[in-house]
Amino acid sequence: MPRYRDYIPLPALADGEHENGNGKHKSTHGKRRRIVLGLLALSVLANVYFIYSTSTEWQAPLDNYQALNTHPIVDAKALPSLSPVNPREHAVVTGLYTDAFATAVATLGHTLNTANSSAARLLFYLPDKISRRALCIATVSGWEPVPIERIAPPFRGVHRHFLDQYSKLQLWTLDRRGYKSVVYVDADALVRRRFDELFRLPHTFAATPDVYATAPGYVTAFNAGVMVIRPDGALFDDMVRKIATARYPAEQAEQAFLNLYFGAEALRLPYAYNGNLAIKLRTPALWAGMQDEMRIVHFTLAKPFLQGDYEEVPMDELEKNAEKVARKKTAFKEEIAEWLEAWRETRRIYGSQLAQCDAL
């Protein structure tokens, strides 16, 4: 038996096992199967709970808008007790940073005149970027041109349409001209009703919360298209010192910075003061409910006076362009028609001046 000198007997097989080990493999396979089935069951239960919780969860109030409160947003009985607006101390301001917005500024000015605000009208513009022709067109409806120094973006990554928007911070220097309260309105807006009550607010800063047609929807961050400020040169200096050191998303330029700077202190205004078109897409019922109180319509998602990538539209082609934008963005056809009618009125009233400007 020398050839079997190193032989070691194998252990006896347990009952139910075979020499090839299948019994052990089957036992392991069974355990794995039970684990997988358990995990699947947990996954199903989690999904059922998620569907149940989301389907029974209350919507955000504005997404669930119901026309319950029909009272005006301003108490008319309180207005007589307020001091009248003084054009030497109170101003509506807009900005012109590219020639393409000149007709929009003229149209905004006309609607402001129709609303009969007694405040001054100031137009901030960048002398190195705005042509004589565009400035002439923009000011036909009564804006006083105010040249300002450009404030360059402190970061890379700013959206190309917002590269000059930090210049808006110059609003806070208007105390040097004697202004105590200012309402800033973006050029891509129309005024429906007078909003002189805003000049009497005692707060340092006020703006309307922003809105997104999709997620995140209604947010506490504000939109910088309409702002109420109390000019303060010292505050301006402080902001300019901090725009390059504060941490905020670069893409949205001055709006992101202002939300960081005033985020906790800003007074949030009703949506009627900044009728962002995104509201109409997000909650049509809310948009419909705002109509009687709307002060300012903000053309955030449809600009009937632009073509291509923020390119200027010749005055003679504005009507056709607006109709084209309305066909493309059908959700806003009524608002675009409203802007177009305001432009037609602007051209009827200031036609001869506009023609002279266009010839420059």
Side-chain angles (χ1 to χ4, degrees):
M1 299 283 293
R3 59 186 299 181
Y4 301 112
R5 184 180 303 147
D6 298 325
Y7 168 74
I8 300 175
L10 292 173
L13 293 175
D15 291 342
E17 287 190 300
H18 303 283
E19 292 185 3
N20 58 9
N22 284 344
K24 186 177 181 180
H25 290 170
K26 286 181 180 178
S27 176
T28 303
H29 177 72
K31 289 180 181 178
R32 290 178 178 172
R33 187 169 180 272
R34 286 192 295 273
I35 291 172
V36 170
L37 289 174
L39 291 173
L40 286 173
L42 287 173
S43 177
V44 169
L45 288 173
N47 280 283
V48 168
Y49 174 78
F50 174 77
I51 293 170
Y52 171 78
S53 62
T54 55
S55 63
T56 57
E57 186 179 80
W58 284 105
Q59 290 179 296
L62 292 175
D63 285 323
N64 185 36
Y65 174 80
Q66 300 165 54
L68 303 180
N69 182 3
T70 58
H71 296 273
I73 60 175
V74 174
D75 184 356
K77 293 179 291 186
L79 292 178
S81 64
L82 301 175
S83 58
V85 170
N86 184 343
R88 292 188 296 274
E89 296 181 348
H90 308 114
V92 179
V93 184
T94 193
L96 183 63
Y97 308 119
T98 168
D99 284 7
F101 277 72
T103 52
V105 171
T107 306
L108 171 62
H110 167 64
T111 62
L112 186 60
N113 295 341
T114 303
N116 199 29
S117 173
S118 53
R121 291 123 164 88
L122 305 180
L123 172 63
F124 278 9
Y125 75 98
L126 300 173
D128 295 339
K129 294 202 168 191
I130 302 302
S131 67
R132 286 179 55 228
R133 171 185 164 277
L135 187 61
C136 181
I137 291 171
T139 54
V140 295
S141 55
W143 296 103
E144 176 189 342
V146 178
I148 61 170
E149 183 179 347
R150 180 177 184 263
I151 299 177
F155 307 117
R156 293 181 179 178
V158 176
H159 193 287
R160 65 185 181 282
H161 295 159
F162 307 147
L163 290 173
D164 297 317
Q165 292 299 312
Y166 281 97
S167 306
K168 197 183 289 185
L169 301 184
Q170 297 281 5
L171 290 164
W172 276 266
T173 67
L174 285 172
D175 61 328
R176 299 165 188 171
R177 288 173 167 259
Y179 292 102
K180 296 181 178 179
S181 184
V182 165
V183 176
Y184 172 85
V185 182
D186 266 352
D188 58 342
L190 289 183
V191 175
R192 284 190 182 174
R193 292 178 57 177
R194 187 166 57 179
F195 47 79
D196 283 358
E197 63 272 12
L198 295 180
F199 293 108
R200 281 76 163 232
L201 293 174
H203 302 82
T204 303
F205 182 89
T208 301
D210 214 345
V211 183
Y212 298 87
T214 55
Y218 298 97
V219 296
T220 56
F222 52 79
N223 182 284
V226 177
M227 301 183 293
V228 184
I229 73 164
R230 290 196 166 271
D232 183 338
L235 194 152
F236 167 78
D237 293 337
D238 186 58
M239 286 193 291
V240 170
R241 281 195 301 269
K242 293 173 179 176
I243 57 174
T245 57
R247 300 184 303 278
Y248 54 94
E251 185 177 13
Q252 292 194 2
E254 94 299 344
Q255 179 168 293
F257 173 73
L258 290 173
N259 266 283
L260 185 65
Y261 195 91
F262 290 108
E265 297 83 18
L267 174 70
R268 267 65 177 182
L269 297 173
Y271 292 101
Y273 291 100
N274 186 347
N276 188 332
L277 290 186
I279 296 173
K280 188 176 186 182
L281 283 186
R282 179 81 186 184
T283 315
L286 174 57
W287 185 258
M290 291 169 53
Q291 296 309 301
D292 291 343
E293 291 286 339
M294 189 88 78
R295 268 64 169 174
I296 298 169
V297 182
H298 192 183
F299 288 78
T300 51
L301 300 181
K303 297 186 179 3
F305 50 88
L306 296 180
Q307 61 183 343
D309 186 17
Y310 273 46
E311 296 172 14
E312 183 178 3
V313 178
M315 282 196 292
D316 291 337
E317 299 176 17
L318 265 176
E319 291 194 24
K320 287 184 178 179
N321 188 78
E323 292 166 356
K324 180 180 177 181
V325 175
R327 288 193 298 271
K328 184 177 180 182
K329 301 194 174 185
T330 56
F332 309 120
K333 61 182 180 180
E334 293 88 358
E335 290 73 28
I336 293 172
E338 180 183 4
W339 187 92
L340 182 53
E341 182 56 31
W343 162 248
R344 287 169 176 157
E345 291 176 1
T346 303
R347 199 164 191 184
R348 282 196 296 269
I349 296 171
Y350 307 104
S352 59
Q353 295 167 258
L354 287 168
Q356 292 174 9
C357 295
D358 206 26
L360 292 176

